[in-house]
Amino acid sequence: MEATEQGPIDVEAVRADFPILEREVAGGEDLVYLDNAATSHTPEPVVDAIADYYRRYNSNVHRGLHELSQEASVAYEDAHDKLAAFVGGEDREEMVFTKNTTEAENLVAFAWGLNELGPGDEVVLTQMEHHASLVTWQQVADETGAEVKYIPITDDGYLDMDAAADMITDDTALVNAVHISNTLGTVNPVGELADIAHDHGAYIFVDGAQAAPTRAVDVQEIDADFYAFSGHKMLGPTGIGCLYGKRHLLAEMEPFLYGGDMIERVSYEDATWNDPPWKFEAGTPVIAQGIALAEAVDYLQDIGMDAIRAHEEALTEYAYDQLTMTDDVDVYGPPGDDRGAVVSFNVDGIHAHDLSSILNDYGVAIRAGDHCTQPLHDTLGVPASARASFYLYNTRDEVDALVAAVDEARQIFAP
Ligand SMILES: Cc1ncc(COP(=O)(O)O)c(C=O)c1O
């Protein structure tokens, strides 16, 4: 795809693939969709891939010798290879399809954590973890007698790496770190954290839900033991997530769910397990979703992950600068030129929910609340924040629409 003078992406051409962006909302306003960190939209080729599967070769995988089943099986298995390669993994044996990032966290916490953790072990998280990891490791720690610790954040929203170096010790069994914070936008030095963890014989699970959709990721370079992300945040369908795991770890781990397809041999007394990734995909898996997610990867890679990242960084910095022009706005996290495509903020005197609802009247869709980071909001000292998040199809005009709508809200709430 050719870039125009607007930047590294031909946004107009991209937007043509997303008919939903043509929608009007709130009784006639143009939709300005700035809630991409929650869920992104789905381009025509991905919608077509889903329809094509159901129209032409809908069938169960790994179960039939008939032609439709074979076609579905090949497409589904190839999708694992594509998703593995997308994050720098070797092949399908390192890529498990789950329901979402949350299920990927639960899979490792239960299949690995429940068996491996015990009293005296520590699981080190960051203060900016999403509930998907935070609640999950809390529960498994509770069950096993392990302890959960949190690497603090600095005043400007970075991870305190001195504290990290002190907190990760020989007692640490696993570090779980979000790659890009969905609230602060902080891009965490996950490679450095991996080195510290490995120096102490611990594993690292990287939550890539916000990173994998928005930049090139290389799990080998990070040296991540596990890396998780969700299809619905990267132009794919809902209902599919991805868990990259190092080959030997997935091979050693116990299954998470039991049932069909995850077994090798079953007797009335016992069973043995299939090889990864199928060992972790019990029952009929996410066939249409997996095939469509592979199409989403093609779409992203045709545009180029570096171009997507550059486009988003420019928009994010612009939004940060525009929003902080007035001193009644607090933006949380690092400066505008050093963050992922997320800007969480509060406007003095306006609750984030009120702000979001007024913005909706102007067609501007943002998220308001705690963004599944309640403890982080406690640390920030606010009950909630408004969050605008950007993707490859967003424009500077849409940032201007956001800022104008915030100004309208300011007028409504003016004393
Ligand atoms: C950083 C992060 N981790 C995990 C999740 C959970 O993703 P899912 O709801 O797809 O499981 C999200 C979703 O917002 C997220 O932003």
Side-chain angles (χ1 to χ4, degrees), residues 17 45 65 67 77 90 100 112 130 156 197 261 286 289 313 319 329 352 356 391:
D17 288 331
L65 291 178
E67 194 162 323
E77 289 172 8
E90 275 170 20
N100 45 34
W112 175 83
H130 188 278
D156 43 4
D261 209 32
V286 284
Q289 294 92 328
E313 284 178 345
V329 175
S356 169
Y391 211 5

Side-chain angles (χ1 to χ4, degrees), residues 75-387:
Y76 185 66
E77 289 172 8
D78 287 352
H80 285 71
D81 291 335
K82 183 157 283 173
L83 268 296
F86 180 62
V87 291
E90 275 170 20
D91 58 29
R92 63 189 66 172
E93 285 175 39
E94 297 188 321
M95 178 51 60
V96 180
F97 285 172
T98 62
K99 192 170 64 179
N100 45 34
T101 302
T102 304
E103 192 178 84
E105 289 275 1
N106 276 266
L107 190 160
V108 174
F110 284 87
W112 175 83
L114 216 49
N115 290 298
E116 298 295 331
L117 294 175
D121 287 330
E122 294 177 354
V123 178
V124 177
L125 311 187
T126 77
Q127 278 189 337
M128 55 179 103
E129 286 318 292
H130 188 278
H131 295 167
S133 52
L134 198 150
V135 178
T136 303
W137 288 111
Q138 268 178 356
Q139 292 306 308
V140 169
D142 243 21
E143 198 117 334
T144 57
E147 192 185 341
V148 176
K149 292 186 164 176
Y150 299 94
I151 303 167
I153 55 170
T154 62
D155 288 345
D156 43 4
Y158 291 104
L159 261 195
D160 181 339
M161 289 303 286
D162 290 335
D166 287 343
M167 290 174 71
I168 300 169
T169 69
D170 290 349
D171 291 332
T172 307
L174 180 128
V175 174
N176 191 116
V178 66
H179 193 167
I180 297 181
S181 162
N182 62 309
T183 298
L184 300 174
T186 315
V187 183
N188 285 317
V190 286
E192 245 178 272
L193 286 170
D195 288 345
I196 303 173
H198 293 149
D199 283 348
H200 292 282
Y203 295 124
I204 185 161
F205 188 123
V206 180
D207 170 353
Q210 297 299 338
T214 56
R215 58 182 53 209
V217 167
D218 187 342
V219 289
Q220 318 252 9
E221 197 181 308
I222 297 168
D223 201 9
D225 297 296
F226 300 103
Y227 193 99
F229 52 103
S230 293
H232 68 96
K233 295 183 197 291
M234 46 179 280
L235 311 184
T238 52
I240 179 163
C242 294
L243 172 68
Y244 160 84
K246 280 186 181 163
R247 188 182 307 272
H248 75 98
L249 287 172
L250 293 180
E252 287 158 17
M253 270 161 55
E254 288 299 310
F256 172 47
L257 299 171
Y258 297 90
D261 209 32
M262 53 76 65
I263 49 82
E264 180 190 53
R265 178 84 187 96
V266 184
S267 69
Y268 281 119
E269 289 74 35
D270 209 352
T272 56
W273 314 135
N274 204 341
D275 293 328
W278 323 122
K279 177 169 87 173
F280 299 104
E281 296 188 10
T284 298
V286 284
I287 306 168
Q289 294 92 328
I291 292 167
L293 185 55
E295 188 67 34
V297 166
D298 282 344
Y299 190 91
L300 290 168
Q301 290 183 328
D302 277 353
I303 293 170
M305 294 309 291
D306 291 342
I308 291 170
R309 176 176 171 176
H311 174 73
E312 292 184 1
E313 284 178 345
L315 270 188
T316 305
E317 187 174 356
Y318 180 62
Y320 184 98
D321 290 346
Q322 294 300 306
L323 283 167
T324 51
M325 294 261 260
T326 50
D327 57 13
D328 63 344
V329 175
D330 284 322
V331 176
Y332 307 105
D337 61 356
D338 188 28
R339 50 164 65 218
V342 167
V343 179
S344 297
F345 63 99
N346 271 305
V347 182
D348 286 353
I350 312 179
H351 192 283
H353 287 154
D354 292 330
L355 184 66
S356 169
S357 147
I358 293 168
L359 261 55
N360 181 57
D361 292 342
Y362 293 92
V364 180
I366 60 160
R367 170 110 178 239
D370 57 44
H371 323 311
C372 296
T373 55
Q374 277 180 19
L376 176 61
H377 277 77
D378 291 344
T379 299
L380 297 172
V382 291
S385 59
R387 182 184 73 185

